[in-house]
Amino acid sequence: MAGQATNGFTRRQLGAGALALGGALAITPFAAGPAQAVADRGRRPTLRHGSAERAGLLSGHLRQLVTDAEAFLNPSPKHPWYAGAVLLAGRGGTVALHEPIGTAVRYRAYDEATDTGVEFPAAQQIPMTGDTVFDLASISKLFTSILTVQQLERGALELEAPVAAYLPDFGRAGKQGVTIRQLLTHTSGFRAWIPLYSAPTYEERVQLVYDEEPVNAPGTAYLYSDLNMISLQLVLEKVTGRTLDVLLRDGITRPLGLDRTRYNPPASWRPGIAATEDARLPWSGLERGLVWGEVHDENAFSLGGVAGHAGVFSCAWDLAVLGRTLLNGGSYGRARILRPESVELMFTDFNTDFPGDEHGLGFELYQHWYMGAMATPRTAGHTGFTGTSLVLDPTTDSFLVVLGNSVHPVRSWRSGSAPRVAAGTHLARAVPVRPAHGRTAWFSGTAGSTTATLTLPALDTSAGRARLRCSLWWDTEPGSDILVLEASADGGASWRPVPFTTTRHGEAPREHPAGSATGWSGRVWHRLTAGLPSARGLVLRWRYTTDRLYVGRGAYVDGVRAEAGGDVLFHDARPADAARVEAVGWSASAD
């Protein structure tokens, strides 16, 4: 059923019947939502710097996060991905990594003829610091979304109400049925972008939004669009009587003490701000020269620097505080900016009709393309065109901020999202997975474009009724990266999948008739059982195959035991048996 929630209520019922009226709402489709995690701990941590060990993280993977990030200061593949970056990672209340790399201001111009950056003299270049302020670009959408949900809490807006109920002019050109929820989840039907800056006045730019006709019927498709958040800005300003920058200050930055977060930073901040692009035609919509201390996005610039989709400037620490606030269920210290049930909605997928485009209220969910192995169905985040990203994983209570100036000196130098993916995967690896038995477990690794195999020695199962038992942990990119249990009775010339059953504590058994597992398993150990075919020399192996793009956290196998007629055929706890395991691409990990 379209829009069906996991607890049987539709998203429409959830929004219109509870939160939109300002009442309490509790939905827990997964076991580790932000509000629930806080309730379980009985405390709401605030941030402090500390060691990886204090954060419950593995220091080696955090060091590798920095090493890999520094590699992207070099050609990757042709040009540096960014001139510099600030990396911040932590878990719970501990910031275990806060590292600047590279330069905040390096180029004064871009030479189109030679495709090179024209550098400032060395003495005028500005190194990156931990406090460097960045143009967040589309991460600004998260602030707009939080401000919108605040108005939902107060009853000034309703999630399923048509936008035209608040802005009558918005209802023209086929948009009369577009709802607040559809703006927040990018299902309104708007196309991605229009050049508002082409209109001569602010009022005419707003009229372009009102006159815009959807390219899809509202609610029928997902299409990420800046126009959604610009429209929400207009709604917020109408219902509150205050401008968006004032709402940001009063509703978020002042309560949380985010002193380095605002629209339109003053000129005195400029030396501490990372520069962006040499903005000139034809690659930019406007002739502006080096953009430094002003918003990079052309539409946001034409709207006076205050826009729902772009324009917020901030630093890594402030973003981490915002992330910690949301992981806390909406509070930080003595301040509360959202109710826990509101944060639950922001981290709950409303786009179940559009697999691959999971989206909460404003937040993107489960996006391996920039979250890397941090991606889970509850992992929330957003990116910004200038090279920024924020990722929050409630399942491990971890957070990652990557702020880079990747359009400096020009937007065409950046390609893909590899630095974000690498950082996310290293932070995910830094969260330990404790073996199910003993001190180590077999681990597949997290490499892309790889086939890893874990093969047991030949077993005599000819007596029949042989079974395999083990503990299994997996988290892979759904559908693309697959873990298969398979068997060969002819010495490895041919392989056939072995169906198996997994059981997670407190849940019904799950059948795997194809002998494979993929996607999200909750990042907990499952008990596996499998009936084995009869053969005198049966070889069993796990085969884990990844594609070239993105990976999940990988797979672990532990406590492998094969039995037949009461006899133990293989047990990985026996040194002689374990020594005969052939691991290609797998390692015995103590994570």
Side-chain angles (χ1 to χ4, degrees), residues 28-207:
T28 54
F30 297 94
Q36 183 173 354
V38 171
D40 291 345
R41 291 193 302 270
R43 61 186 177 86
R44 299 181 177 92
T46 54
L47 294 181
R48 75 281 190 195
H49 287 99
S51 66
E53 291 73 19
R54 184 184 182 96
L57 298 170
L58 302 174
S59 59
H61 291 296
L62 290 183
R63 290 194 297 269
Q64 192 62 43
L65 190 159
V66 177
T67 299
D68 280 10
E70 289 174 335
F72 290 101
L73 296 170
N74 302 312
S76 49
K78 183 178 179 181
H79 298 291
W81 200 87
Y82 38 39
V86 178
L87 314 164
L88 186 150
R91 190 181 186 196
T94 301
V95 173
L97 171 69
H98 189 180
E99 187 85 15
I101 60 174
T103 52
V105 182
R106 179 175 177 179
Y107 305 99
R108 61 179 176 84
Y110 168 68
D111 186 338
E112 182 183 11
T114 60
D115 188 26
T116 58
V118 181
E119 295 188 357
F120 281 106
Q124 296 179 28
Q125 295 182 24
I126 300 176
M128 202 71 75
T129 72
D131 295 328
T132 297
V133 170
F134 288 77
D135 177 347
L136 297 183
S138 283
I139 292 181
S140 305
K141 293 178 171 70
L142 298 182
F143 292 91
T144 304
S145 301
I146 291 169
L147 294 172
T148 301
V149 173
Q150 287 179 342
Q151 296 306 315
L152 294 173
E153 287 186 347
R154 295 163 190 170
L157 297 175
E158 292 187 7
L159 193 59
E160 296 298 342
V163 179
Y166 310 102
L167 294 173
D169 287 347
F170 181 90
R172 66 182 65 154
K175 299 193 299 298
Q176 63 274 9
V178 173
T179 66
I180 298 295
R181 173 178 59 81
Q182 289 166 348
L183 295 181
L184 285 165
T185 58
H186 296 280
T187 56
S188 65
F190 270 131
R191 56 177 158 161
W193 172 89
I194 57 175
L196 300 181
Y197 54 82
S198 63
T201 67
Y202 182 93
E203 292 73 19
E204 288 172 289
R205 292 163 194 149
V206 171
Q207 287 301 316

Side-chain angles (χ1 to χ4, degrees), residues 204-393:
E204 288 172 289
R205 292 163 194 149
V206 171
Q207 287 301 316
L208 288 177
V209 178
Y210 290 158
D211 293 339
E212 179 69 10
E213 182 177 354
V215 295
N216 299 303
T220 65
Y222 172 88
L223 180 58
Y224 179 85
S225 173
D226 288 349
L227 300 179
N228 290 312
M229 294 298 163
I230 295 172
S231 299
L232 280 171
Q233 172 190 1
L234 299 174
V235 170
L236 289 169
E237 293 181 340
K238 178 67 176 294
V239 300
T240 66
R242 292 179 288 169
T243 57
L244 191 64
D245 54 340
V246 173
L247 291 171
L248 176 72
R249 182 195 65 199
D250 294 347
I252 301 177
T253 62
R254 181 180 289 168
L256 297 181
L258 308 184
D259 297 331
R260 303 282 284 172
T261 303
R262 59 169 295 164
Y263 287 103
N264 288 329
S268 60
W269 283 25
R270 192 170 187 255
I273 296 176
T276 54
E277 188 175 33
D278 179 13
R280 291 184 283 117
L281 298 173
W283 57 86
S284 173
L286 297 171
E287 287 276 354
R288 298 171 62 192
L290 179 63
V291 179
W292 179 15
E294 292 183 320
V295 62
H296 171 260
D297 181 89
E298 296 93 336
N299 280 342
F301 179 74
S302 75
L303 294 172
V306 179
H309 71 295
V312 177
F313 285 72
S314 189
C315 64
W317 185 266
D318 278 12
L319 272 187
V321 170
L322 179 68
R324 185 67 262 164
T325 301
L326 295 168
L327 290 170
N328 285 349
S331 68
Y332 188 83
R334 297 182 178 180
R336 176 170 290 283
I337 63 169
L338 288 173
R339 298 174 186 165
E341 56 268 24
S342 300
V343 180
E344 288 288 348
L345 281 183
M346 298 191 81
F347 282 27
T348 298
D349 182 22
F350 281 76
N351 285 1
T352 52
D353 289 341
F354 313 114
D357 294 315
E358 292 83 352
H359 219 286
L361 300 183
F363 276 89
E364 297 170 337
L365 305 172
Y366 206 20
Q367 298 299 309
H368 288 81
W369 68 270
Y370 70 89
M371 298 175 179
M374 285 185 74
T376 80
R378 292 290 282 175
T379 304
H382 216 286
T383 63
F385 184 77
T386 49
T388 58
S389 62
L390 170 67
V391 181
L392 309 174
D393 179 9

